[in-house]
Amino acid sequence: MATSNVANGNGSSETKGKTITCKAAVAHGPGEPFVVEQILVHPPKKMEVRIKILYTSICHTDLSGWKGECEPQRAYPRIFGHEASGVVESVGKGVSDIKEKDIVVLIFNGECGECVYCKCEKTNMCEKFGVDPMKKLMCDGTSRFSTIDGKPIFHFLNTSTFTEYTVVDSGCVVKVNPQETLCLKNLTMLSCGVSTGIGAAWNTANVHAGSSVAVFGLGAVGLAVAEGARARGASKIIGVDINPDKFITAKTMGITDLINPTDEEKPVYERIREMTGGGGVDYSFECTGNLNVLRDAFLSVHEGWGLTVLLGIQSSPKLLPIHPMELFDGRRIEGSIFGGFKGKSQLPNLATECMQGAIKLDKFITHELPFEEINKAFDLLIDGKSLRCLLHL
Ligand code: APR
Ligand code: ZN
Ligand code: ZN
């Protein structure tokens, strides 16, 4: 590669069309500490966008991906991260809805706008840019990242945000309104976890006023469900978590009642039925990624109409812990990816609603650190100390 075709990503020179050298937190093996090192970021190809990341945060799915839990074929070196916001550095051929200097939020569950799913109102799946943990490269089968000595670095969840610059498909980029850029830190929360939780309550379950809800797992995803249910007027929102440290924050975020399973002699679903006059809640949400918890969540909803929404990513190869006959009791179960939101078309509205006060996004940012301290940020999530730690690039 000619030297003139490489630009430093520190803003000191023109970068458009050139390969950028910049810092990234690279994972070299499952669960190994991230190494913050110089990498090369190649220009965006057709329908791709190169973004200078300003903020990124860590979601539990990054943790699972980094540990190599979700996929048999592990791919390293790799750049993880999928919650982020930033500014567009340049766009590839054919991109018309996004331009240089646009302020954007990245989404791992993209929207091409043209496939059979994107054209269907019933789903937020997308043939091209839907979630695929096995996907490690761009759509043309190549990487836009390489090590300084030219070895390809793998992508993650259509996004790869633990880097100063990333390249993503335009279907995974959401332009946000200028007035909202004032709160870009907060808008970063809409990139994955918080939208997932709010959308599960609003879109997947369609929680109604006066209803009862149980949320299993009080991380950012579970508390976003609680906030979404509160905004819809749910009257009882029971939070379940094995880490009592989560309870203080939970009480300020929609949760009205708390259960710590480790303090209970009875199964949690029985406690929940007792707390709701014997019948169970109208809606339950599994936000831990634990299959045994899913069974409790399922049995804690009311016969006849109760709905359990699955949000937690299950790394276990086991099947659902539910006997088919149990479904005749009228309890339903449904999965929710990205809260059912069609990201590109519906996130701007969600952002506006949040800015108007429907959901306070800043409450989810419990910590902020410089990007270089990414390993510390991971420890905060692993130790159950943070909801979201925002890394500044
Ligand atoms: N019972 C109750 N709570 C549990 C259990 C359990 N058996 N196991 C874990 N938890 C709690 C943890 O104590 C923690 O508070 O679940 C919470 C999970 O929160 P985070 O680790 O912060 O994860 P979050 O980012 O909120 O994601 C939750 O949704 O999108 C998926 O992959 C994600 O599976 C993950 C889930
Ligand atoms: Zn996520
Ligand atoms: Zn599509």
Side-chain angles (χ1 to χ4, degrees), residues 150-370:
K151 194 174 162 193
I153 300 176
F154 291 103
H155 291 251
F156 179 65
L157 281 188
N158 291 330
T159 40
S160 287
T161 62
F162 297 158
T163 170
E164 286 182 303
Y165 287 85
T166 190
V167 177
V168 302
D169 292 293
S170 65
C172 299
V173 184
V174 182
K175 188 176 163 177
V176 288
N177 290 336
Q179 91 221 30
E180 283 146 5
T181 61
L182 295 171
C183 308
L184 192 58
K185 272 189 193 180
N186 295 346
L187 288 177
T188 312
M189 295 297 103
L190 296 182
S191 190
C192 169
V194 176
S195 298
T196 298
I198 298 171
W202 290 2
N203 305 323
T204 315
N206 197 6
V207 167
H208 64 278
S211 63
S212 54
V213 171
V215 181
F216 292 75
L218 303 177
V221 173
L223 290 178
V225 169
E227 279 287 88
R230 178 197 55 73
R232 278 291 181 90
S235 52
K236 196 172 197 62
I237 307 175
I238 305 168
V240 183
D241 204 297
I242 46 172
N243 177 359
D245 290 352
K246 301 278 174 160
F247 292 174
I248 303 151
T249 324
K251 279 188 187 157
T252 68
M253 296 176 85
I255 299 288
T256 58
D257 300 80
L258 287 158
I259 298 177
N260 183 344
T262 49
D263 294 344
E264 297 294 330
E265 281 169 15
K266 296 176 185 171
V268 172
Y269 74 85
E270 280 188 22
R271 269 298 287 137
I272 291 177
R273 288 185 191 177
E274 275 174 15
M275 291 163 82
T276 48
V281 286
D282 298 308
Y283 310 98
S284 72
F285 296 84
E286 200 300 305
C287 312
T288 72
N290 179 318
L291 216 54
N292 298 325
V293 174
L294 178 62
R295 178 148 184 89
D296 258 330
F298 177 72
L299 293 174
S300 71
V301 297
H302 206 291
E303 275 185 7
W305 62 77
L307 172 68
T308 296
V309 181
L310 171 67
L311 294 92
I313 302 297
Q314 302 285 333
S315 45
S316 156
K318 289 189 190 155
L319 300 181
L320 280 181
I322 291 157
H323 191 277
M325 293 304 284
E326 289 179 309
L327 295 173
F328 290 129
D329 293 335
R331 296 189 176 95
R332 291 172 299 136
I333 183 160
E334 192 172 340
S336 183
I337 284 285
F338 199 53
F341 284 115
K342 282 184 185 284
K344 239 175 132 79
S345 41
Q346 295 181 329
L347 220 57
N349 274 347
L350 176 62
T352 305
E353 283 187 71
C354 291
M355 289 304 127
Q356 288 168 351
I359 307 283
K360 298 258 183 294
L361 296 175
D362 54 344
K363 291 204 278 188
F364 291 91
I365 306 174
T366 52
H367 297 75
E368 297 187 49
L369 285 173

Side-chain angles (χ1 to χ4, degrees), residues 3-78:
T3 321
S4 61
N5 234 5
V6 179
N8 194 311
N10 62 10
S12 61
S13 57
E14 173 68 33
T15 51
K16 193 178 169 183
K18 296 180 181 175
T19 293
I20 292 175
T21 51
C22 68
K23 265 186 296 189
V26 181
H28 288 274
E32 283 180 27
F34 293 92
V35 179
V36 178
E37 61 189 59
Q38 291 287 317
I39 63 153
L40 301 175
V41 182
H42 305 287
K45 293 191 182 173
K46 194 174 168 194
M47 295 309 286
E48 295 176 357
V49 180
R50 188 160 62 181
I51 296 158
K52 181 172 172 43
I53 303 287
L54 297 175
Y55 302 107
T56 183
S57 48
I58 300 159
C59 169
H60 199 108
T61 311
D62 294 312
L63 202 59
S64 311
W66 168 64
K67 287 188 197 157
E69 278 176 357
C70 298
E71 39 180 343
Q73 297 165 291
R74 295 161 174 178
Y76 298 91
R78 196 163 190 184

